[in-house]
Amino acid sequence: MLNNHSLLSFSLALLVSIFLYSSTTLAQLSPAATPLKPPQPAPTPPAASPKPLVPSLPDSPSDSTPDTTPSVDIVAILRKAKSFNIFIRLMKTTQLINQLNAQLLTTKSGGLTILAADDSAFSELKAGFLNSLSDGQKLELLQFHVISEYVSSSNFDTLTNPVRTLAGAKPGKVELNVVSYGGSVNISTGEVNTTINGIVYTDKHLAIYKVGKVLLPMDFFAVAKAPAKSPSLAPEPSANAPKTDKEKPLSPDSSESSQVNAAKDSSGAVKINVYGKWASLVLGAVLVTVLSS
């Protein structure tokens, strides 16, 4: 009986030991509970860039083109577009291209915007128009196509009219007005109304756009009118001054009386001529008679 009781006690102790060992092992093997993280706010999507008001031409870079080179070749850009030969030639002959390149090299903010007219726009001008311009007018014409600041394709609606160009500020003569609405950009010079048809090139300092017509300033057509001289008034004759024959009024019969007098004078002259001829004949006859006797 004592043996059975001892065996039962030993079995219970063994079962308790096994249970405790198993609990400790499972506690060691189970991973520690991960603390809960606070909820993270959803990332804000980037703001959409303004929609360009000017369409892009084929193979033209966007406004996000990085400015990787310190300078650009304006002539090479226009020559690559293959339709700005006259514009290139005028920039070279007027030496405006040197001025533009110098400004791009020295500018650190701002930049330039070129409104380039293509060859078809120049072909619409009156025949011989360009040849009739002086060198100074050709330079002013090209400068009138350059805005003295960088304007991206989506910022034309921020310009203040009249827009200043390299041609200077000449109110009523050289004025460029830009109006953007309905997804298009319209340009007016007072003589020409046209639109920007597309982007030729753009980076962070230089933008070149294609315009539909040559931008002609007003002062090319303003004719300086000299003030007309007022006619000098003749002094009025005094009331007591004697009237000359020219100042005497002519009566309705004055022309007829003058014709009659003229007729009388002519008839008298005829009579005198006839009497003179008869007198000479009589004298001649008397002389012949005296000599014969």
Side-chain angles (χ1 to χ4, degrees), residues 15-132:
L15 290 174
V16 171
S17 300
I18 294 173
F19 177 77
L20 292 175
Y21 178 77
S22 299
S23 300
T24 304
T25 304
L26 291 174
Q28 292 176 351
L29 294 176
S30 61
T34 305
L36 297 176
K37 293 183 179 179
Q40 298 292 332
T44 305
S49 59
K51 183 179 180 181
L53 298 174
V54 180
S56 298
L57 295 178
D59 301 329
S60 62
S62 63
D63 286 347
S64 60
T65 302
D67 190 11
T68 55
T69 57
S71 63
V72 293
D73 190 342
I74 298 176
V75 172
I77 294 171
L78 292 174
R79 187 176 288 120
K80 184 179 179 181
K82 299 179 181 179
S83 60
F84 297 93
N85 297 317
I86 299 177
F87 198 82
I88 293 172
R89 175 169 57 84
L90 288 174
M91 283 200 303
K92 288 184 176 181
T93 56
T94 59
Q95 298 184 358
L96 177 65
I97 187 62
N98 299 333
Q99 177 184 352
L100 298 182
N101 288 332
Q103 286 189 236
L104 287 176
L105 287 174
T106 57
T107 186
K108 295 183 180 179
S109 62
L112 293 173
T113 300
I114 301 176
L115 306 174
D118 62 358
D119 295 338
S120 62
F122 279 98
S123 65
E124 295 178 2
L125 295 176
K126 185 179 178 181
F129 175 78
L130 290 178
N131 293 331
S132 67

Side-chain angles (χ1 to χ4, degrees), residues 205-270:
H205 298 289
L206 173 66
I208 304 177
Y209 301 101
K210 175 184 176 183
V211 292
K213 294 182 179 179
V214 179
L215 305 179
L216 302 175
M218 284 282 291
D219 63 347
F220 280 14
F221 305 92
V223 178
K225 296 182 179 180
K229 295 182 179 180
S230 58
S232 58
L233 300 176
E236 296 182 358
S238 61
N240 299 328
K243 294 184 179 180
T244 61
D245 293 340
K246 293 182 180 180
E247 296 176 349
K248 291 180 180 180
L250 297 177
S251 62
D253 299 334
S254 60
S255 59
E256 296 180 0
S257 60
S258 61
Q259 292 178 1
V260 172
N261 292 334
K264 288 181 180 180
D265 294 340
S266 61
S267 62
V270 171

